[in-house]
């Protein structure tokens, strides 16, 4: 169902936004911390999270009108 994808995308964008806010204001990388790494370190899992956040942003940007239509936003 497309609404499920919309929700997952929104959640990933919130995670990405929070992570970038923490990086900017607290010099803290939440994704690295979750995977037991230091600030700036990456692993396959953290790269997957960062990649999914990026794909989510592209999805949201390209399909915003379709998403709004699905959710009845005017």
């Amino acid at each position: 169902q497309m609404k499920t994808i919309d929700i997952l995308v929104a959640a990933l964008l919130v995670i990405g936004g929070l992570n970038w806010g923490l990086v900017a204001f607290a010099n803290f990388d939440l994704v690295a911390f979750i995977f037991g790494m230091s600030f700036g370190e990456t692993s396959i899992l953290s790269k997957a999270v960062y990649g999914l956040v990026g794909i989510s942003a592209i999805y949201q940007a390209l399909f915003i009108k379709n998403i709004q239509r699905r959710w009845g936003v005017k």
Side-chain angles (χ1 to χ4, degrees):
Q1 171 94 291
M2 292 306 292
K3 281 191 172 185
T4 302
I5 293 172
D6 296 341
I7 292 168
L8 290 172
V9 164
L12 283 165
L13 290 174
V14 168
I15 291 166
L18 289 172
N19 193 57
W20 277 113
L22 288 168
V23 167
F25 297 114
N27 203 32
F28 178 76
D29 186 342
L30 179 62
V31 174
F33 176 79
I34 288 170
F35 293 111
M37 297 175 301
S38 299
F39 183 87
E41 281 187 277
T42 60
S43 69
I44 299 290
L45 292 174
S46 66
K47 286 181 181 183
V49 171
Y50 296 136
L52 288 171
V53 169
I55 290 167
S56 295
I58 293 167
Y59 171 86
Q60 187 87 354
L62 292 177
F63 300 110
I64 189 67
K65 290 292 184 191
N66 296 357
I67 295 167
Q68 289 173 334
R69 197 173 314 113
R70 269 193 292 281
W71 290 90
V73 177
K74 297 182 182 202

